[in-house]
Amino acid sequence: MAEVEELLPIRNLFSLGSYQQVINKSSSGQQIAARRSLLYRAYVAQARYSLVLAELKADDPSVDLRAIRLLARYFVKEDVLDEIRALAAEEVTSPMVASVVATVWINENELELALQAVARHSKDLECAAITVQIYLKLNRLDLAKKELANIKTWADDATLAQIIEAWISIYEGSDQKYQEAFYVFEELASSTSATSKLLVGQAVCRLHAKNYDAAEHLLLEALNKSNNDQEALANLIVLGHAASKPDLVSTYLGYRNLFHLIKV
């Protein structure tokens, strides 16, 4: 329990997209497995794949760290799907492993497999967040809202629970809901730090509300904080189409394609 409480602030930073702070805080202190897992998850989130592959060994005694190394290999376009299937078939009780497996299957658009990966970890907040994401991708708002209601029974005040609620508000799709979601991201940004993840969240709300100038400003601010933020780039391309700005589309589509050619 003490270990969980000690790492909670770092987990919250990860949820907010404060990956460098996660790295800074995880690099100090006792290097327990859970702390190292958060450290290397943050490196993966920053697309620092070569560092992860250099420092983590394929035979690491921690199954969490082996899974994170596998995720880095996936993102540098190695064919690891058979290894992901084998990992998913193991009787692994780690929510971290489930999150990694589900992340790969979501990227492969294998949503049922992703759901299976996180199903046994309904009381882990990251797995619950992934479950909600999948339900929204499947256009099952009813199931997403049911999952959120369950989350609120045991993690109502959690940072990630607030973000999940904002996702659902955006999906529900009304001016009021877009504004409610915007306020969640804005409040989190003002109370912690305006990470690129939170700025993109605000921008998506403005984009749906057809406030294109505000959305563009927020997305450019996100890129200023993280110049390879794929969500910011993707939403700038969407914004370019929606606002009839072909130059914006061509600029950021080219930038995004260039990034995908580079293996970090």
Side-chain angles (χ1 to χ4, degrees):
M1 179 62 83
E3 178 183 316
V4 172
E5 292 178 355
E6 177 190 352
L7 295 179
L8 182 59
I10 304 177
R11 293 186 191 281
N12 282 338
L13 289 170
F14 188 88
S15 298
L16 293 166
S18 296
Y19 302 123
Q20 191 56 50
Q21 288 191 61
V22 172
I23 291 166
N24 295 343
K25 291 182 179 294
S26 298
S27 299
S28 60
Q30 185 181 1
Q31 288 300 294
I32 55 177
R35 186 185 292 272
R36 292 186 70 214
S37 296
L38 286 166
L39 171 66
Y40 287 103
R41 283 287 300 282
Y43 282 137
V44 169
Q46 289 185 334
R48 297 169 70 178
Y49 308 129
S50 59
L51 183 150
V52 174
L53 295 174
E55 295 192 3
L56 293 182
K57 304 305 179 187
D59 60 351
D60 193 287
S62 166
V63 66
D64 286 359
L65 293 175
R66 293 200 304 274
I68 293 166
R69 189 178 194 279
L70 200 57
L71 185 62
R73 288 175 57 204
Y74 174 77
F75 283 130
V76 296
K77 309 301 184 186
E78 289 190 29
D79 184 3
V80 299
L81 295 185
D82 285 344
E83 291 171 78
I84 289 292
R85 289 188 185 92
L87 187 62
E90 293 179 16
E91 290 297 322
V92 177
T93 59
S94 165
M96 178 77 76
V97 172
S99 297
V100 166
V101 170
T103 297
V104 171
W105 289 136
I106 289 171
N107 275 272
E108 292 293 313
N109 203 34
E110 295 284 358
L111 300 183
E112 292 298 331
L113 291 177
L115 267 179
Q116 290 173 24
V118 293
R120 70 179 74 175
H121 301 289
S122 59
K123 287 297 180 71
D124 177 82
L125 199 48
E126 185 177 5
C127 288
I130 290 171
T131 299
V132 170
Q133 286 180 320
I134 295 167
Y135 285 148
L136 294 178
K137 285 178 179 289
L138 292 169
N139 297 317
R140 291 301 307 270
L141 178 61
D142 57 327
L143 294 179
K145 293 175 78 170
K146 183 178 179 181
E147 185 70 21
L148 175 61
N150 177 56
I151 291 167
K152 285 186 169 185
T153 64
W154 53 273
D156 188 28
D157 295 329
T159 298
L160 188 50
Q162 296 176 56
I163 293 173
I164 293 168
E165 189 160 14
W167 294 341
I168 290 175
S169 292
I170 292 170
Y171 189 92
E172 286 182 297
S174 69
D175 287 344
Q176 179 183 344
K177 289 296 183 180
Y178 297 144
Q179 193 62 37
E180 288 175 5
F182 180 86
Y183 284 146
V184 170
F185 293 121
E186 184 181 49
E187 184 176 347
L188 289 171
S190 63
S191 63
T192 54
S193 63
T195 64
S196 59
K197 181 175 181 177
L198 294 175
L199 290 166
V200 169
Q202 292 177 63
V204 168
C205 298
R206 292 302 186 229
L207 180 56
H208 280 288
K210 296 183 170 54
N211 189 341
Y212 298 135
D213 288 343
E216 184 175 354
H217 174 78
L218 288 160
L219 290 169
L220 292 176
E221 190 178 347
L223 279 184
N224 189 49
K225 289 181 175 290
S226 177
N227 63 9
N228 62 1
D229 189 301
Q230 295 300 290
E231 291 295 321
L233 290 170
N235 279 288
L236 276 164
I237 294 166
V238 171
L239 171 62
H241 285 296
S244 299
K245 293 184 175 182
D247 290 347
L248 200 66
V249 175
S250 59
T251 296
Y252 290 105
L253 187 59
Y255 189 15
R256 195 166 189 242
N257 290 339
L258 177 63
F259 177 81
H260 281 301
L261 290 174
I262 301 171
K263 293 183 178 181
V264 179

